[in-house]
Amino acid sequence: MTNKSAEDAQKFLASIVEHAEDAIIGCTPDGTIESWNQGAEKLFGYCGEEIIGQNIVALAIDEAIPAVNAVIQRMKRGEAVHPFDGTGVTKDGRRIEISCSASPVKDADGTLVGVAAILRDISERRRADEARALLAAVVESSEEGIIAVSLDKTVLSWNRGAQAIYGFPAEDILGKSVFSTIIPPERVEEFNGFFARVLAGETLIRFESERHHKDGRKIEVSLTYCPIKNPNGKVIGVSAIVRDITHAKATQQALREANENYRALIHNIPDVIWMLNSNDEVKFLSPTAEKIFGYSVAECYARGVALLFDSIHPDEAQQVKRMFQLFFEEGTPFDMEFRIRRKDGEWRWVHNRAIQTFEKDGLRYASGLVTDITQRKAAEQSLRESEQRYRLLFERNLAGVFRCSQVGNFLDCNDAGAKILGYDSREDLVGRSVLDVFFDLADKDASDQRMAQYGTASNQELCMRRKDGSSVWVMANTTMVPGASGTEIEGTFLDITLLKQAEEQMRLAKEAAESANRAKSEFLANMSHEIRTPMNGVIGMISLALDTDLTPEQRDYLATVKSSAGALLEIINDILDFSKIEARKLELERVPFSVKEVVRATVKDFSVQARNKHLSLQCDFSADLPDTAIGDPGRLRQVLMNLVGNALKFTNHGEIMVRVMRLQDNALQFSVSDTGIGISAEKQKSIFEAFVQADTSSTRHYGGTGLGLAIVSQLVGLMQGRIWLESKAGSGSTFYFTAHFGLATAIPANDESHAREESSSLMPTRKLHILIADDNLVNLRLARSLLTKQGHSAVTVGSGREALGAVEKQSFDVVLMDVQMPDMDGFETTKVIRAQERISRKHLPIVAMTAHAMIGDRERCLAAGMDSYVTKPVDAKKLFAAIADALHKDSTSNVPQSENTPPPAPVPRRIDLDR
Ligand code: ADP
């Protein structure tokens, strides 16, 4: 380089130094300032003349002077000095932050000839640094989480707030992906979406989402995402401000729910809550108001307090307004029931009561509660009315009505009750003891007992004592009820004295009627005796006469007389049967028998008659009929005879069929069908009543008493069955009846009917000597003829005494003893004979003969010591059977009984109701 150019370069350099922005100061090695450029002048305020020649420490603050000197010393020693920062002071005393770099200036020999210091004002930078540090501290200590995330979604910064919210300490999360830490899987997509928007420059303010806490729990967060840009404006990351709103959310939710509950409550409680103010405004009215007032809530708000007050019933309006005013102004309690008129004009009862009054913003407020009590009022009203009604019912009742305490004092009673018991009034009776009105305390005890057991005692007929001591019969119903004094007794009673008298009269009348009925039965029995006895004679004698030599004409006449007498006897039998049933004196037998045989025998009995009328008469049995039934074959036969007899009587062409089948309940159903004249529907209704015949013309034509079906239906009833018919006038009839029989497996060998026949066949072949005692001559003759015709010998006597005489004188094989004889009857006579036999130790067989056919006759005869029994008119077959029976008994047991212990009445094997 030329000198010239070196000089130029020097100048150029000096110019740069002179004009440089930084302060460039040249010093001696001791620090004395030798050069001072424009930058230094600008920085420190000194011009060159002012400062050159001073030591450089003049530019440092006092505290920094030692450090400046230390630097000078180091420079002198040739040690390196690194740039350093310090605080300088300007000409006007201002402190400035400066950075300083000092470099040694050496000559060609390397000797230190000076120091060049370059100083720069760094106050700005300092301030910026401090501000940054402050910001970082703010960020770090923020309660809110502040997080920076890089573009690749890893966490770059993580403050204490974030740690508190998410639980992760910074060292655990910095540099890690947000997905592996705080973003739950279901939020990844949302996060990516938001992230992308922020990367595009958008700021997302306070959106809500969910994040993971370190402990695995979900937390609700509010997030603000901001792009982080570099100085060039390029987005280099995303910052997030996080706030934990889990608690806030829960509070919010609770608040929301409370609000909803409150709304629901206000909507649903039937009561109306109201709030008014002194401006006559309605400030609150629950929606239910509409139900009560009929006005919508909006209308109420719009029309104010006046609307509510104007709808109060005129009777109550004044009072309500006055009381309300007192409440509103002075806080006097307000609680009233009154009527209001709904919008539709209907009156309703409401209960309005105040809650409170208070002042707000210079206005006075009051609130309260309205309840619709219309229903309650109506119920109260109807209760009052019904109480009134019951009171009247009680007071005006014609029956006595009373209430008494459990210890037995009248608590209340109506006038009728007092009157029945002979007291002047209710007041006269109330307070007295019930003991005063009972005649017999046993009645009270009985009533008390029933009440204790069942709580009530009904239809008690009691004889009560009236006040004057007289008696009155009452019918009382009492019941226990809970009352004010514990359990009480309530009841009603009626005066039944007249009824009782009538009852007594009826009882007497009934007794009279019963005794008349007994007299009737006895009369019938006697009459049957009286009629049977002569009939006995008539039929017996005719039979005897028919056995003698007669002209054909005489025989014909006698045969006709015999059949007429037979018919007459049948009628008498019918009447007797009927009256026996009426008097309930007919009982059925229970013996084993064959139903089929009974039916067959009946059909057989009518076969001749059927043949004569050219009618077919048949019977038919279902396959399941039992072989043996237990019941009364005689009565079954009687029923069948009647029905088949009628069928034959009222049928002129065709056939008669008797059918028997078994029903489900073991009953048997019998039917008798004919193809006869039939019975009109009208007549069918009454055909089973006594003395009814289908029509009088047919009676004349066919004969009959009209008793047959009445007896039949009664007998069927006794057999626990029923009878009915199907018929059409002109085309035949079918009579059905059912009967219940006991079932037996087989007819025992000693069947009664067989036994009878057997015993008649047991009639000894030897000739018997027989005593006949009867006051009836015809009967005597008849019996004697029947016996003598069989080769037996007979002695006849007309009274009991004569019989005793005869027995003393002669020995007889058997005695036929009429029961009813003048002087000494058959029972008496038998007793005497039996008494004598206690000494003789013999036994004379005695057969009772009686026209009585009532229940008990047979037993009486047997009890009197007779051995068997035969009813009159005496029929040869029956007579011989009875004699055989008596002899048979004699042969089996002939030890006479002691008189003191009369022989036990032999249990009749069969109650003989034979006529
Ligand atoms: P009676 O003894 O007079 O025959 P019933 O009581 O046996 O009396 O019968 C009453 C009436 O019922 C009879 O008079 C007759 O008119 C009518 N009757 C009974 N059975 C028959 C029948 N099978 N067909 C037509 N009429 C009958």
Side-chain angles (χ1 to χ4, degrees), residues 574 642-643 646-647 649-651 674 676-679 687 689 692-695 698-699 703-710 733 735:
D574 264 3
N642 231 299
L643 297 179
N646 277 347
K649 191 150 84 169
F650 297 106
T651 306
D674 64 49
I677 63 172
I679 303 164
I687 199 158
E689 288 166 20
V692 167
Q693 289 169 324
D695 71 69
S698 73
T699 317
T705 54
L707 268 183
L709 288 179
S733 315
F735 281 81

Side-chain angles (χ1 to χ4, degrees), residues 667-684:
L668 299 185
Q669 178 178 299
F670 298 78
S671 65
V672 179
S673 323
D674 64 49
T675 51
I677 63 172
I679 303 164
S680 71
E682 183 57 32
K683 207 69 212 170
Q684 287 180 24

